[in-house]
Amino acid sequence: MPDFSRRSEAPAARGPGGAAFSPLYRQIKDLIVQSLDRGEWKPGEAIPSELELAARFQVSQGTVRKAVDELAADHLLTRRQGKGTFVSTHHEPRVRFRFLRLAPDEGEPSPTESRVLDCRRMRATAEMARSLDVRPGDGMVAIRRVLSFSGIPAIVDDIYLPVALFKGLTGELLEHYSGPLYGLFETEFGVSMVRAEEKLRAVAADDEYAGLLKVAVGTPLLRVDRISYTYADRPVEFRTGHYVTDHYHYRNSLN
Amino acid sequence: MPDFSRRSEAPAARGPGGAAFSPLYRQIKDLIVQSLDRGEWKPGEAIPSELELAARFQVSQGTVRKAVDELAADHLLTRRQGKGTFVSTHHEPRVRFRFLRLAPDEGEPSPTESRVLDCRRMRATAEMARSLDVRPGDGMVAIRRVLSFSGIPAIVDDIYLPVALFKGLTGELLEHYSGPLYGLFETEFGVSMVRAEEKLRAVAADDEYAGLLKVAVGTPLLRVDRISYTYADRPVEFRTGHYVTDHYHYRNSLN
DNA sequence: AAGTGGTCTAGACCACGTT
DNA sequence: ACGTGGTCTAGACCACTTT
């Protein structure tokens, strides 16, 4: 017999603008997200089987399945038939392309080389405070790097992170690391980027960016402002990228 | 007892690179898409209830449900609890924002005004032939229009359509119409845009675009090349847009 | 009251991967 | 052989909308 009592401990207490109740599978989903957030299961690891989770949460396998289905659709989890369900990790090339949208106009996406130019401490600006979950003046880490495609610089990224979450992040650490930055964040600091919101604009290259990207001053660049979110939709990264689009383009799908 | 015979009429005939078999719910999904493509149910109309579809296809309601779930996730269908499942239509403002990604930096998205500058016949270029399902030299309709936000021009669109699908599309028809272009395509020509692929670049405004958008020559513009697809993934529109991003931005989500 | 989609369960069997 | 996720079914009940 279904037990719907769990469905809404405070049944129709939906105040003005307040949230309504949520179905069981969504509550299960939230519990799984909390476990991910706590680091109970690490990226790359398998989570318990559906039957185990069903027993743990005292629901049917079908309800767990629907919760996991949504988490897989959100790319928090990855299902592998016959093997199990795994926590998604940025150490898979597949994931990288979800967050790196610049692609060459012709040919295959060649491997990218990252060169860190700077890594220093600073204080959060008003804009950062609005975007992230910090207050103006809070400690931040600022990273500047250049991404190149087959030796040709294509992207300058200016990345800002709350120092509270990224203690011990230094230029040294970044030097000794190869692979996607989000992979480093994940393994070194336990911060997994799950999704991001971007705003794109066309701007003219100033002296600084022109020098870094080896293009003429005034060259049109694609400016990408990004806010990245981790589990439970907490914003944890503020980033501005400047992309050269002479032989590359930003690919996007409208669904 | 489940009848898996339907699952693969030609069981494991997966040649090299050939497709494997597909589950029942996916076959049902394809059948529904075919009905949509044939126009059996028009945009805005309700499709038969899940129980009716289950009877029609001789499967359980659960299998129909899974097929419809995916079609709703793909935005081909829209579910409304208590009312039924409806064919999605571009005559809903909600859908418009999936395809119009330029938003003002501040404030609410104001209504857009469209002004058609030109509508003429031409022949498909080699690039159009590669992108769409036409041959070089085939008849095309070329439309140029300007979109404005509160009177200020923000976008120039150059739109190319196979005349075979859009017979009778004239400047006159476009004049007498207000509302989203994709809404017109849907009701007047039975062509529903379902998804699109875009390539974004930053370019400098030349004399022509500068004049149309009332910006200085050389102003950085966001150039957006789009290929739109209708049901069953048939490409039916080739479009290049030039966006002013001084007070607007192209919004995007990475999931 | 009737009809629709939404949720939950229980059980069977298939496909895949490992032991 | 066994355990995993993947599919399919049947039935019950909830929530919303219309008659």
Side-chain angles (χ1 to χ4, degrees):
Chain A
M1 189 207 311
D3 173 16
F4 290 105
S5 66
R6 237 177 290 106
R7 209 188 261 192
S8 56
E9 304 293 350
R14 56 179 93 170
F21 33 15
S22 65
L24 235 195
Y25 73 84
R26 202 167 286 275
Q27 298 177 37
I28 303 301
K29 182 182 177 184
D30 289 343
L31 289 173
I32 296 175
V33 170
Q34 286 173 31
S35 288
L36 291 169
D37 202 21
R38 278 199 310 270
E40 183 174 338
W41 313 302
K42 299 265 185 275
E45 292 180 5
I47 70 172
S49 74
E50 294 181 350
L51 280 175
E52 285 179 273
L53 290 174
R56 166 166 166 178
F57 297 126
Q58 293 285 286
V59 299
S60 76
Q61 182 186 8
T63 298
V64 169
R65 168 163 286 272
K66 184 144 187 177
V68 172
D69 275 347
E70 287 201 355
L71 289 167
D74 295 342
H75 300 109
L76 300 217
L77 299 177
T78 304
R79 317 191 81 141
R80 287 180 212 158
Q81 184 173 144
K83 299 190 69 174
T85 301
F86 297 76
V87 182
S88 297
T89 169
H90 284 87
H91 294 286
E92 297 174 274
R94 193 191 154 285
V95 175
R96 183 168 175 71
F97 289 101
R98 295 217 331 269
F99 291 91
L100 180 58
R101 306 293 276 256
L102 201 67
D105 289 340
E106 325 239 334
E108 289 306 296
S110 49
T112 68
E113 312 107 50
S114 170
R115 204 174 121 238
V116 175
L117 303 184
D118 191 26
C119 178
R120 57 189 178 77
R121 303 303 167 100
M122 62 173 293
R123 305 218 160 268
T125 65
E127 187 184 10
M128 292 176 192
R130 271 197 307 277
S131 305
L132 305 183
D133 206 12
V134 301
R135 283 173 302 190
D138 278 2
M140 302 285 290
V141 184
I143 301 168
R144 167 168 284 183
R145 70 158 178 188
V146 175
L147 281 178
S148 300
F149 291 150
S150 23
I152 302 165
I155 299 179
V156 176
D157 274 327
D158 285 295
I159 300 166
Y160 305 94
L161 305 160
V163 74
L165 291 173
F166 293 86
K167 285 190 233 294
L169 178 48
T170 62
E172 176 114 22
L173 184 61
L174 292 169
E175 294 290 346
H176 295 1
Y177 188 85
S178 74
L181 202 50
Y182 285 171
L184 180 146
F185 293 169
E186 179 183 293
T187 56
E188 295 294 327
F189 303 96
V191 179
S192 293
M193 303 302 182
V194 163
R195 66 177 196 90
E197 296 288 337
E198 296 192 331
K199 295 182 181 182
L200 282 69
R201 294 179 183 85
V203 300
D206 61 15
D207 290 14
E208 194 175 13
Y209 289 117
L212 292 168
L213 291 167
K214 303 197 192 307
V215 297
V217 172
T219 300
L221 298 178
L222 186 61
R223 174 180 151 191
V224 182
D225 294 324
R226 173 190 293 186
I227 299 172
S228 301
Y229 299 82
T230 184
Y231 299 128
D233 263 308
R234 282 183 295 114
V236 291
E237 183 199 46
F238 184 92
R239 173 190 289 218
T240 295
H242 285 81
Y243 298 8
V244 178
T245 57
D246 292 14
H247 302 289
Y248 312 102
H249 61 267
Y250 180 107
R251 66 194 154 73
N252 195 30
S253 298
L254 311 185
N255 290 321
Chain B
M1 190 209 309
D3 173 16
F4 290 105
S5 66
R6 235 178 292 106
R7 211 189 261 193
S8 55
E9 303 293 347
R14 55 179 97 174
F21 34 12
S22 64
L24 235 195
Y25 73 83
R26 203 166 285 276
Q27 297 178 38
I28 303 301
K29 183 182 176 184
D30 289 343
L31 290 173
I32 295 175
V33 170
Q34 285 173 31
S35 288
L36 290 170
D37 202 22
R38 280 198 310 271
E40 182 174 340
W41 313 301
K42 299 265 185 275
E45 292 179 5
I47 70 171
S49 75
E50 294 181 349
L51 281 174
E52 284 179 273
L53 290 173
R56 166 166 165 178
F57 297 125
Q58 293 285 289
V59 299
S60 76
Q61 183 186 7
T63 299
V64 170
R65 168 162 286 271
K66 184 144 188 179
V68 173
D69 276 347
E70 288 201 357
L71 290 167
D74 294 342
H75 299 109
L76 300 218
L77 299 177
T78 304
R79 317 190 80 141
R80 289 180 210 157
Q81 182 173 139
K83 300 188 69 173
T85 300
F86 298 77
V87 182
S88 298
T89 168
H90 283 87
H91 294 287
E92 296 174 276
R94 193 190 154 285
V95 175
R96 184 168 174 71
F97 289 101
R98 296 218 328 269
F99 291 92
L100 179 58
R101 306 293 277 256
L102 201 68
D105 289 341
E106 325 238 334
E108 289 305 296
S110 49
T112 68
E113 312 106 51
S114 170
R115 205 175 120 239
V116 176
L117 303 184
D118 192 24
C119 178
R120 57 189 177 75
R121 302 302 167 99
M122 62 173 292
R123 305 215 160 271
T125 65
E127 187 183 10
M128 294 176 192
R130 271 196 308 277
S131 306
L132 305 184
D133 205 13
V134 301
R135 282 172 303 190
D138 278 3
M140 303 285 289
V141 185
I143 300 169
R144 166 168 283 183
R145 69 157 179 190
V146 176
L147 280 178
S148 301
F149 291 152
S150 20
I152 302 166
I155 300 178
V156 176
D157 273 327
D158 285 295
I159 300 166
Y160 305 94
L161 305 159
V163 73
L165 292 173
F166 293 86
K167 283 192 235 295
L169 178 48
T170 62
E172 177 116 21
L173 183 61
L174 294 169
E175 295 289 346
H176 296 2
Y177 188 85
S178 74
L181 203 51
Y182 285 172
L184 180 146
F185 292 170
E186 178 183 292
T187 56
E188 294 294 326
F189 303 96
V191 178
S192 293
M193 303 302 183
V194 163
R195 67 177 196 89
E197 296 288 336
E198 295 192 330
K199 294 182 181 181
L200 282 68
R201 294 178 183 85
V203 301
D206 61 14
D207 290 14
E208 194 175 12
Y209 289 117
L212 292 168
L213 292 167
K214 302 195 192 308
V215 297
V217 173
T219 300
L221 300 177
L222 186 61
R223 174 180 150 190
V224 182
D225 294 324
R226 173 191 293 185
I227 299 171
S228 301
Y229 299 81
T230 185
Y231 300 128
D233 264 308
R234 282 183 296 113
V236 291
E237 183 200 45
F238 184 92
R239 172 190 291 217
T240 295
H242 285 81
Y243 298 9
V244 178
T245 58
D246 292 15
H247 302 289
Y248 312 102
H249 62 267
Y250 181 106
R251 67 195 155 71
N252 195 31
S253 299
L254 310 185
N255 291 320

